Amino acid sequence: MDPRRPSITDFLTDGSLAALCQVLGDMTRSRVSLHDERGRRIIHTDGDPPWHVGREGEPARRIARALEATGTMASVIPDDGRVIEPLVVGGGRVVGAILITADPDEIGPEMFAHLRGA
């Protein structure tokens, strides 16, 4: 790997991690999304490569700031309620995150508490 900061996109091959996030969201009636170290959303596509990295912007910057503040531990984003789970490689380097957005009225209080405790 070159000396630049590593990214989850360095480890993606067939886009299955981004696809898995979508399936997990469907199963839990929440939104589960994959993000790179800069907070940009990564989605599965049928193209080549089989994933797409979203645009920069304030939502991505907000996720990146939360990821920086979180370090390597999962936490709840303040004033937001979303759960951010950092993706960490050797040496404790954060390369991205899985973000969980859930509505407690939609999924029920027990599942919501479980997701927030992730």
Side-chain angles (χ1 to χ4, degrees), residues 22-36:
Q22 183 174 343
V23 170
L24 288 173
D26 293 344
M27 289 173 56
T28 60
R29 295 179 309 217
S30 58
R31 181 175 178 188
V32 179
S33 54
L34 179 64
H35 297 264
D36 70 4

Side-chain angles (χ1 to χ4, degrees), residues 1-14 17 34-38 40 42 49 51 53 87 89 93-96:
M1 228 181 276
D2 62 18
R4 70 175 176 75
R5 184 175 174 185
S7 173
I8 188 61
T9 58
D10 297 331
F11 302 93
L12 296 178
T13 55
D14 62 0
L17 182 57
L34 179 64
H35 297 264
D36 70 4
E37 78 288 357
R38 292 165 46 191
R40 300 174 302 176
I42 300 169
W51 69 88
V53 179
L87 300 172
V89 296
R93 293 177 298 185
V94 176
V95 296

